Amino acid sequence: MEYTVQKLGNLAGISTRTLRYYDEIGLLKPARKRSSGYRIYGQQEVDKLQQILFYRELGMDLEQIKNIVNDPSFDGPGALKEHRGKLLAKRMQLDLLITNVEKTISAKEGKSVMADKEKFHGFKQKLVDDNERQYGEEIRGKYGDEVVDQSNAKMLHMSEEQYREFTNLEQRVLDSLADAVKTEDPSSDEAQRTADLHRQWLGFTWPSYSGEAHMGLAEMYVADERFAVYYDKVHPGAAKFLRDAITVYTEEK
Amino acid sequence: MEYTVQKLGNLAGISTRTLRYYDEIGLLKPARKRSSGYRIYGQQEVDKLQQILFYRELGMDLEQIKNIVNDPSFDGPGALKEHRGKLLAKRMQLDLLITNVEKTISAKEGKSVMADKEKFHGFKQKLVDDNERQYGEEIRGKYGDEVVDQSNAKMLHMSEEQYREFTNLEQRVLDSLADAVKTEDPSSDEAQRTADLHRQWLGFTWPSYSGEAHMGLAEMYVADERFAVYYDKVHPGAAKFLRDAITVYTEEK
DNA sequence: CATACACCTTGACGCAACGTTAAGGTCAAG
DNA sequence: CTTGACCTTAACGTTGCGTCAAGGTGTATG
């Protein structure tokens, strides 16, 4: 069976423009072209397009997809895991945004214009502080703060005591990680203890635990620079080490 | 105090390009320009920039922000709520994607190439089906299915039996909650039984129990729409009712 | 065979929010 | 007067197409 752009487009539920674009960027080239220049696609192209659309539905960008479908030796699962890490990072971002938006909404409803002033007052103060220090450099620290704020926000409904336990555990994860890194072995006792502490720490904020989710989060620590930096400040490469340790940890269960 | 682009950029932690761009699109114009063409910003502009950056951090697009900061009569809270709606929708989308990516990963790890064929076979079949029917229409039904798949996949890594117990208990919590809500009294027997079931349900995923944590989680059910929606589908206001019930439950211990 | 009409082609601009050169003026210090 | 830091406008690049525009092709019908 042979298809022109429109036929294939209808079959796959995409526009002809999309097909031409895929041709243009070398993602999916037609089997051949007629003398008139018409693109003709065959069965192989249909199959390939299915793969492309499949990965596209997973939200991967076309460049990545090109690698996967054009090169059979390419590390598809690896790319997928990396992709998952990015998605998880995005979701954290979103959660953070939503939390802040909701805080803003309730603040506004509470005090209307007054709330405005207060909020911006705090914000402005922060700007001024940043200005009075040397500009730049401490950007990383700022990121760290945001992460902390985020955690705080999520914990907003925790008791004081719980919160102390929580931060305490967080510190123990970092300390343990510092020790574990030295072993250079993600399956070492220290590393596994770290992974376990990390799991406990998760328990504070996650309504349910799954090894898969735990691993996904660990990948995010590597994929998202904010987290990578947070753990790497313990030791260069600590984020990756933690991920590897958690990988071992979850696989052994 | 007067600022040039760079000074203001440093103050606010943004690039000079961004400031020029904001000028270009009429979002933030400098107080004046010197004869040389240099942009000069004053205190008012600093204040306005703060507002802009504040809303930007909430993920709003510049067009929306322009409305809010340039027109005091504009419905800011309304825009925020609409924005929140968009963010929540995005998160659902993301959750769907993540679920699908994880399904794909575990399928790949299971059967490698074979899994590939099956998956694409199903996908291809779908394409053909869609083609043979009138294109389009049943999109809503498809969404529903995916949401269901998502829930299942989240639990995917429990043992079969565990999973059955777990979902069973989950259902009992919901059933019990439905009854309890009718009493309109969080301290009623039914409500307290619900709280207790919920506690048991927690036992599946939490390494240890504490009343404080239990209450914290209950608060989250109200604060986080994902959970609120989940419980409210039993009955409007069920999430809040559950929280109140748990509050009583933990305080009586 | 002519004509209409659906379908094909290659450009090329537009979108969001800037990053990034490029080419060239301006300002304060030495 | 000369540096060198800082400013300007202009314009392309990014991602994945949607949307014209101008013009060639295929085929069914009068």
Side-chain angles (χ1 to χ4, degrees):
Chain A
M1 186 64 172
E2 300 200 320
Y3 304 86
T4 58
V5 270
Q6 200 163 61
K7 288 203 183 144
L8 182 55
N10 285 332
L11 179 65
I14 60 178
S15 73
T16 60
R17 175 68 175 99
T18 299
L19 284 171
R20 281 193 269 272
Y21 181 64
Y22 288 175
D23 182 7
E24 187 186 331
I25 65 173
L27 177 56
L28 178 70
K29 292 201 170 293
R32 60 192 176 81
K33 279 192 168 190
R34 292 216 285 235
S35 56
S36 58
Y38 283 28
R39 291 172 179 78
I40 304 297
Y41 299 87
Q43 190 54 45
Q44 290 193 9
E45 285 71 35
V46 175
D47 292 346
K48 194 166 167 186
L49 178 57
Q50 288 158 217
Q51 291 187 47
I52 291 170
L53 295 181
F54 175 76
Y55 286 110
R56 194 182 70 163
E57 288 218 344
L58 299 183
M60 300 187 74
D61 60 280
L62 301 183
E63 200 53 42
Q64 279 289 316
I65 296 176
K66 191 151 77 176
N67 288 329
I68 296 181
V69 301
N70 284 342
D71 180 2
S73 72
F74 189 81
D75 181 13
L80 274 175
K81 286 184 183 177
E82 193 187 322
H83 182 55
R84 175 174 58 179
K86 284 183 199 160
L87 292 179
L88 288 168
K90 268 194 198 171
R91 188 171 57 182
M92 290 241 62
Q93 277 275 49
L94 261 182
D95 283 344
L96 181 60
L97 285 186
I98 291 168
T99 304
N100 284 336
V101 169
E102 291 185 339
K103 269 199 278 191
T104 304
I105 289 174
S106 53
K108 288 229 171 192
E109 288 182 342
K111 303 197 212 166
S112 187
V113 186
M114 287 299 292
D116 248 51
K117 285 214 167 180
E118 287 172 27
K119 177 161 42 240
F120 291 128
H121 174 72
F123 198 72
K124 192 189 303 186
Q125 193 54 48
K126 179 169 160 302
L127 282 182
V128 172
D129 290 351
D130 284 358
N131 187 38
E132 288 178 358
R133 290 187 228 123
Q134 304 302 331
Y135 316 119
E137 65 149 60
E138 289 177 311
I139 310 164
R140 303 295 172 177
K142 182 184 137 208
Y143 262 109
D145 283 344
E146 274 180 322
V147 171
V148 170
D149 285 347
Q150 176 191 2
S151 303
N152 287 342
K154 275 200 176 162
M155 295 302 101
L156 217 61
H157 298 280
M158 268 190 180
S159 71
E160 292 277 324
E161 192 187 351
Q162 254 190 310
Y163 184 73
R164 270 197 298 279
E165 277 182 56
F166 180 67
T167 51
N168 185 356
L169 194 48
E170 191 179 2
Q171 190 55 49
R172 282 174 60 202
V173 169
L174 290 178
D175 292 345
S176 174
L177 180 58
D179 282 348
V181 164
K182 291 177 197 156
T183 68
E184 293 182 22
D185 175 14
S187 62
S188 69
D189 286 353
E190 282 82 358
Q192 291 305 296
R193 244 199 309 281
T194 305
D196 193 57
L197 282 171
H198 187 259
R199 181 212 165 129
Q200 285 180 247
W201 177 74
L202 272 188
F204 270 91
T205 52
W206 284 17
S208 72
Y209 176 84
S210 92
E212 187 70 22
H214 195 178
M215 244 194 75
L217 188 70
E219 271 155 21
M220 195 179 75
Y221 285 171
V222 177
D224 188 315
E225 258 201 68
R226 290 168 305 172
F227 292 103
V229 164
Y230 177 72
Y231 287 104
D232 279 357
K233 78 186 175 193
V234 161
H235 186 90
K240 284 191 182 178
F241 184 86
L242 178 58
R243 177 198 56 186
D244 294 339
I246 290 174
T247 301
V248 173
Y249 181 80
T250 55
E251 278 171 358
E252 281 186 356
K253 297 278 300 240
Chain B
M1 186 62 172
E2 301 200 320
Y3 304 88
T4 57
V5 271
Q6 200 162 61
K7 289 210 184 132
L8 182 55
N10 284 331
L11 179 65
I14 60 178
S15 73
T16 60
R17 174 69 175 101
T18 298
L19 284 171
R20 286 192 199 98
Y21 180 64
Y22 288 175
D23 182 8
E24 187 184 331
I25 64 173
L27 177 57
L28 179 70
K29 293 202 170 292
R32 59 191 177 82
K33 278 192 167 190
R34 291 216 284 238
S35 56
S36 58
Y38 283 27
R39 291 171 179 79
I40 303 297
Y41 299 87
Q43 191 55 45
Q44 291 193 8
E45 285 71 33
V46 175
D47 292 346
K48 192 165 167 186
L49 179 57
Q50 287 158 218
Q51 292 187 45
I52 291 170
L53 295 180
F54 175 77
Y55 287 110
R56 194 182 69 163
E57 289 217 343
L58 299 182
M60 301 187 73
D61 60 280
L62 301 183
E63 200 53 41
Q64 278 289 315
I65 296 176
K66 192 151 75 174
N67 288 329
I68 296 181
V69 300
N70 284 342
D71 179 2
S73 71
F74 190 82
D75 180 13
L80 274 176
K81 286 182 184 176
E82 192 187 321
H83 182 55
R84 175 177 57 178
K86 284 182 201 162
L87 293 180
L88 289 170
K90 266 193 199 173
R91 189 171 53 184
M92 288 239 58
Q93 277 276 52
L94 258 183
D95 282 346
L96 233 64
L97 284 185
I98 291 168
T99 303
N100 285 334
V101 169
E102 293 188 337
K103 270 199 275 192
T104 305
I105 289 174
S106 51
K108 288 230 171 193
E109 286 181 342
K111 304 197 212 166
S112 188
V113 186
M114 287 299 292
D116 248 52
K117 285 216 167 179
E118 286 170 29
K119 177 161 42 240
F120 291 128
H121 174 72
F123 197 73
K124 190 190 302 186
Q125 193 56 49
K126 178 171 161 303
L127 279 184
V128 172
D129 291 350
D130 283 0
N131 188 37
E132 289 178 357
R133 286 186 233 126
Q134 305 303 331
Y135 318 117
E137 65 156 48
E138 293 173 310
I139 314 163
R140 301 294 170 179
K142 184 183 134 208
Y143 259 106
D145 285 343
E146 275 178 323
V147 170
V148 170
D149 287 347
Q150 176 193 2
S151 306
N152 290 339
K154 272 192 180 166
M155 299 297 104
L156 213 64
H157 294 278
M158 278 190 174
S159 75
E160 292 278 324
E161 194 186 349
Q162 257 190 311
Y163 179 74
R164 269 196 300 278
E165 277 183 58
F166 183 67
T167 51
N168 185 355
L169 193 49
E170 192 178 2
Q171 189 55 51
R172 281 174 61 202
V173 169
L174 291 178
D175 291 345
S176 174
L177 179 59
D179 281 347
V181 164
K182 291 178 198 156
T183 69
E184 293 181 25
D185 175 12
S187 62
S188 69
D189 286 352
E190 282 82 358
Q192 291 306 296
R193 244 198 311 283
T194 305
D196 193 58
L197 281 171
H198 187 260
R199 180 212 165 130
Q200 286 180 245
W201 178 73
L202 273 187
F204 268 92
T205 51
W206 281 20
S208 69
Y209 176 84
S210 93
E212 300 284 347
H214 195 179
M215 244 194 74
L217 189 70
E219 294 282 0
M220 199 176 75
Y221 284 173
V222 177
D224 189 316
E225 263 201 63
R226 286 172 302 178
F227 293 106
V229 164
Y230 176 72
Y231 288 105
D232 279 357
K233 78 186 174 193
V234 161
H235 185 89
K240 284 190 182 177
F241 184 86
L242 178 58
R243 178 198 56 185
D244 294 338
I246 290 174
T247 302
V248 172
Y249 180 80
T250 56
E251 278 171 358
E252 281 186 357
K253 294 275 299 237

